[in-house]
Amino acid sequence: MRLVIARCSVDYAGRLTAHLPSAPRLILVKADGSVSIHADDRAYKPLNWMSPPCTLKEGTGEDEGVWTVINKAGEKLIITMEEVLHDSSHELGVDPGLIKDGVEAHLQELLADRIETLGDGYTLIRREYPTAIGPVDILCRDADGGTVAVEIKRRGEIDGVEQLTRYLELLNRDPRLAPVRGIFAAQEIKPQARVLATDRGIGCQVLDYDALRGIEDDKLRLF
């Protein structure tokens, strides 16, 4: 993320036009390409912004100090810098997301206690099975005695599939465990993550947090 504090004016040209007169403002340029302009009020809401996908071009020569942000619809956000007070960049990495009631650690504990959720005949080897790049959430055996590595997320996204892929590569080097297959388990699995997991031969399991805790839902049932 790039943080710029500058005295600037901002013009938006698209389905309508808008103008922010010169004033000190915070400009955020995020890794996803989005650009937003903030004042020292209004809590989190920006004064103006451009959502991704968009491109940022910083002017040179006669246009030095002019930033032009263009999205795929051709709309423009033009930021004219008068004085830059601060300019820094920071690598934030992948955000783990907001931790709510169904935290991953608790999901791991519940699934380990109810390993049969994955299928009849499953047995637990151990939680937090160590590897050279970090612990696998759950290592277990299926009904046929095959080794299964389970990666648990609250929200299943592509980075979780990539993480499990790296674990599987290491685990399959151990002749005591190989062959090892993977299951990607989460309360919600994004379509792109499911496609990637399927392509890599990794199974997907949607976890019902309340069911794992033994809480019945209040929906009417016919039988």
Side-chain angles (χ1 to χ4, degrees):
M1 178 183 290
R2 184 178 178 186
L3 308 175
V4 178
I5 299 175
R7 179 174 291 278
C8 62
S9 60
V10 183
D11 292 279
Y12 169 80
R15 289 166 292 180
L16 48 81
T17 59
H19 175 72
L20 292 172
S22 176
R25 297 189 175 93
L26 168 64
I27 303 167
L28 298 183
V29 183
K30 295 186 178 180
D32 63 4
S34 63
V35 179
S36 57
I37 296 95
H38 299 258
D40 199 11
D41 61 4
R42 303 168 184 259
Y44 65 89
K45 188 174 181 180
L47 297 166
N48 214 329
W49 68 94
M50 191 71 80
S51 301
C54 57
T55 58
L56 167 61
K57 179 181 178 182
E58 297 186 41
T60 58
E62 293 182 357
D63 292 329
E64 186 175 2
V66 178
W67 289 13
T68 303
V69 188
I70 306 176
N71 66 11
K72 63 180 180 179
E75 298 169 316
K76 294 183 179 181
L77 192 65
I78 301 171
I79 307 169
T80 303
M81 307 285 192
E82 298 171 12
E83 181 184 8
V84 177
L85 306 172
H86 175 85
D87 189 347
S88 64
S89 297
H90 308 270
E91 180 61 51
L92 302 185
V94 178
D95 190 88
L98 180 66
I99 299 176
K100 297 184 178 179
D101 186 30
V103 293
E104 291 169 13
H106 198 198
L107 283 170
Q108 180 194 118
E109 180 183 353
L110 290 168
L111 185 58
D113 287 342
R114 297 163 177 78
I115 199 67
E116 68 278 0
T117 301
L118 298 176
D120 293 336
Y122 273 71
T123 56
L124 178 69
I125 296 177
R126 68 168 289 178
R127 293 170 52 195
E128 299 287 333
Y129 188 89
T131 76
I133 58 173
V136 178
D137 287 333
I138 289 178
L139 198 68
C140 58
R141 296 197 185 278
D142 60 22
D144 298 321
T147 311
V148 183
V150 184
E151 180 64 24
I152 299 171
K153 299 292 184 186
R154 186 175 61 82
R155 181 186 296 110
E157 301 190 72
I158 285 177
D159 62 306
V161 179
E162 295 285 6
Q163 183 179 359
L164 179 54
T165 300
R166 293 191 292 271
Y167 287 147
L168 290 172
E169 182 180 351
L170 287 175
L171 291 169
N172 274 297
R173 297 177 188 174
D174 187 340
R176 299 170 300 172
L177 299 175
V180 185
R181 64 183 179 89
I183 293 179
F184 188 49
Q187 288 180 279
E188 173 193 3
I189 299 177
K190 297 294 185 180
Q192 299 93 329
R194 185 179 291 275
V195 169
L196 181 61
T198 301
D199 183 67
R200 295 183 177 180
I202 295 172
C204 292
Q205 178 83 32
V206 176
L207 301 176
D208 185 326
Y209 184 54
D210 287 340
L212 284 172
R213 291 192 297 169
I215 299 175
E216 294 290 339
D217 64 36
D218 57 0
K219 295 178 182 176
L220 295 175
R221 301 178 185 272
L222 294 177
F223 53 86

